[in-house]
């Protein structure tokens, strides 16, 4: 094939709105997201794209496209991406495959776009990876496999990468598990949520050791959760309830304030004053975290991001905390300038999208 016959990819249109962790900031200017089976890095200032190419198509290397060249061994075409995750340092991008012959989590350098590590999940006990999350030091990550075992593995991604600890989370009743991640305050503590599942573990001597949780209420379908920098956890349910746990005990429960808030909470993320919540009705809500009392989580502002009924599936905050990105189930992304809006002004209820 001559040089003139090679088609160079320059720009891709599309967004995988339903993907776990489907959009994230790498810097104030750069955003990473998934389009088809490709990972796109978009520069908001120059309006240009770069790509992490993950297929076995002919090698093309230019300023925009960097192929995955960690090994020269043959492999099959990757058909899908299951999970995208970015490290707290924003220097690493984790991509979990779906549809490949061998399940793996590939760790890429966010600057060179080249693969640094391949975490081969050969004994994960499932045909899919549900969740990947980095430790606060960006030197370790948790990988959660799917049914039937729901095997959770802690990896070191320092060279040589290896599994440090594993535990099977499957219950006799076969309840679904959705998310597992490490505390940003204490990298030895893990929170796991699912349908009727709320568990904590402490990792000591490379063993997951259960922590007793003081729930004092009937189990619910815990669809997502978010660690706060102080070590507290905010948990969202399929009915719109918010639970705040501190020191493994429920300290506050916030029920939906109106009919529009009734429904599954799909996404949440910490911001400078508390936590942002996105639900299945397209509502984005800002809560102020007070840190004490039964009203430790107080509604500041909420708005409807669209009118077509799509859910808010992913949220991302810029490093400065000035911009919020919202990703929806109808494959749209919205940028919200938090810094230009007075979140405490109840009369200012709308954002310009």
């Amino acid at each position: 094939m001559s040089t003139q016959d090679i088609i160079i990819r320059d720009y891709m249109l599309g967004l995988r709105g339903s993907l776990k962790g489907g959009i994230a900031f790498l810097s104030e200017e750069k955003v990473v997201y998934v389009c088809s089976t490709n990972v796109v890095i978009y520069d908001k200032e120059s309006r240009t794209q770069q790509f992490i190419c993950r297929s076995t198509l002919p090698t093309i290397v230019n300023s925009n496209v960097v192929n995955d060249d960690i090994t020269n061994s043959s492999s099959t075409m990757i058909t899908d991406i299951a999970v995208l995750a970015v490290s707290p340092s924003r220097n690493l991008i984790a991509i979990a495959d779906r549809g490949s012959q061998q399940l793996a989590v590939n760790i890429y350098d966010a600057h060179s776009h080249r693969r640094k590590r391949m975490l081969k999940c050969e004994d994960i006990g499932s045909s899919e990876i549900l969740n990947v999350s980095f430790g606060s030091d960006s030197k370790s990550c948790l990988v959660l496999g799917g049914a039937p075992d729901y095997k959770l593995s802690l990896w070191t991604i320092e060279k040589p990468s290896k599994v440090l600890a594993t535990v099977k989370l499957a219950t006799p009743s076969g309840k679904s598990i959705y998310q597992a991640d490490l505390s940003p305050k204490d990298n030895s503590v893990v929170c796991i949520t699912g349908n009727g599942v709320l568990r904590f573990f402490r990792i000591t001597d490379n063993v997951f050791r259960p922590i007793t949780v003081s729930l004092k209420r009937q189990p619910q379908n815990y669809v997502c959760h978010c660690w706060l920098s102080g070590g507290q956890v905010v948990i969202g349910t399929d009915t719109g309830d918010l639970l705040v746990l501190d020191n493994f005990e429920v300290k506050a429960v916030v029920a939906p304030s109106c009919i529009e808030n009734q429904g599954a909470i799909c996404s949440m993320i910490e911001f400078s004053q508390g936590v942002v919540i996105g639900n299945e009705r397209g509502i984005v809500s800002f809560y102020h975290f007070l840190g004490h009392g039964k009203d430790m989580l107080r509604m500041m502002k909420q708005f409807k991001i669209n009118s077509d009924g799509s859910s808010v599936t992913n949220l991302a905050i810029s490093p400065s905390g000035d911009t919020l990105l919202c990703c929806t189930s109808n494959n749209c992304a919205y940028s919200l300038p938090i810094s230009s809006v007075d979140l405490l002004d109840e009369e200012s209820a709308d954002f310009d999208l």
Side-chain angles (χ1 to χ4, degrees):
M1 179 182 292
S2 65
T3 304
Q4 290 83 355
D5 294 330
I6 296 178
I7 298 175
I8 303 298
R9 181 182 297 130
D10 186 61
Y11 212 88
M12 295 188 70
L13 298 178
L15 173 72
R16 287 273 303 284
S18 60
L19 186 76
K20 185 80 171 181
I23 196 165
F25 279 95
L26 296 177
S27 66
E28 289 296 326
E29 297 80 24
K30 292 186 177 181
V31 176
V32 59
Y33 60 92
V34 171
C35 178
S36 183
T37 59
N38 297 277
V39 177
V40 179
I41 298 172
Y42 176 68
D43 190 308
K44 296 191 296 178
E45 284 195 351
S46 64
R47 297 189 177 184
T48 57
Q49 292 181 341
Q50 292 181 308
F51 312 98
I52 297 176
C53 298
R54 308 166 51 255
S55 69
T56 55
L57 292 172
T59 300
I60 301 173
V61 180
N62 63 11
S63 59
N64 286 339
V65 182
V66 180
N67 67 303
D68 183 353
D69 63 351
I70 195 171
T71 177
N72 292 323
S73 62
S74 61
S75 60
T76 58
M77 180 76 73
I78 296 171
T79 59
D80 206 353
I81 295 175
V83 180
L84 177 74
V86 172
S87 66
S89 66
R90 305 183 195 271
N91 291 326
L92 300 172
I93 301 170
I95 302 170
D97 303 335
R98 178 188 290 127
S100 59
Q101 290 182 343
Q102 176 181 277
L103 285 182
V105 176
N106 295 294
I107 309 294
Y108 291 83
D109 186 293
H111 303 293
S112 69
H113 310 159
R114 296 188 180 276
R115 186 167 61 175
K116 297 184 65 175
R117 302 284 184 271
M118 175 188 280
L119 312 182
K120 296 181 180 180
C121 304
E122 298 169 338
D123 302 321
I124 204 166
S126 176
S127 61
E128 62 178 335
I129 294 173
L130 297 180
N131 193 82
V132 178
S133 62
F134 286 91
S136 59
D137 59 2
S138 301
K139 296 180 179 179
S140 61
C141 75
L142 280 175
V143 179
L144 175 63
D149 288 354
Y150 292 106
K151 188 174 182 179
L152 183 63
S153 304
L154 175 67
W155 288 77
T156 174
I157 52 179
E158 298 278 272
K159 194 173 183 178
S161 55
K162 61 181 179 179
V163 177
L164 299 178
T166 62
V167 64
K168 290 184 180 180
L169 302 174
T171 63
S173 58
K175 292 181 178 178
S176 298
I177 296 173
Y178 311 129
Q179 185 179 348
D181 50 20
L182 295 159
S183 166
K185 186 177 181 180
D186 183 351
N187 260 0
S188 68
V189 177
V190 182
C191 178
I192 296 105
T193 48
N195 189 357
V197 177
L198 173 56
R199 303 178 69 182
F200 288 87
F201 287 89
R202 188 179 299 278
I203 306 168
T204 56
D205 300 324
N206 292 340
V207 176
F208 285 92
R209 304 185 188 277
I211 298 174
T212 302
V213 180
S214 180
L215 192 57
K216 299 178 182 178
R217 56 189 286 118
Q218 289 297 315
Q220 294 176 265
N221 187 3
Y222 308 111
V223 291
C224 62
H225 69 262
C226 170
W227 283 100
L228 303 183
S229 54
Q232 301 86 0
V233 183
V234 180
I235 299 174
T237 73
D238 65 340
T239 59
D241 291 337
L242 291 172
L243 283 66
V244 184
L245 280 78
D246 191 6
N247 198 27
F248 316 113
E249 181 180 353
V250 176
K251 297 293 187 179
V253 178
V254 181
S257 59
C258 61
I259 293 177
E260 282 192 324
N261 286 345
Q262 293 175 1
I265 294 173
C266 304
S267 54
M268 57 176 64
I269 192 170
E270 184 181 23
F271 80 115
S272 60
Q273 299 179 52
V275 62
V276 187
I277 308 294
N279 76 3
E280 67 177 353
R281 296 176 181 264
I283 302 292
V284 174
S285 305
F286 290 81
Y287 284 85
H288 189 198
F289 181 68
L290 303 177
H292 56 82
K294 292 184 177 180
D295 296 327
M296 61 196 305
L297 207 59
R298 181 179 298 170
M299 170 80 74
M300 300 170 68
K301 184 185 294 292
Q302 67 176 196
F303 63 96
K304 194 172 184 65
I305 200 168
N306 55 44
S307 58
D308 64 2
S310 57
S311 57
V312 182
T313 53
N314 287 288
L315 298 168
I317 295 280
S318 65
S320 67
D322 291 340
T323 305
L324 172 71
L325 284 179
C326 304
C327 193
T328 60
S329 58
N330 66 342
N331 303 320
C332 291
Y334 299 82
S335 178
L336 311 178
I338 300 176
S339 58
S340 65
V341 177
D342 183 0
L343 295 175
L344 295 177
D345 181 5
E346 296 182 0
E347 304 225 347
S348 175
D350 296 322
F351 284 76
D352 293 327
L353 302 183

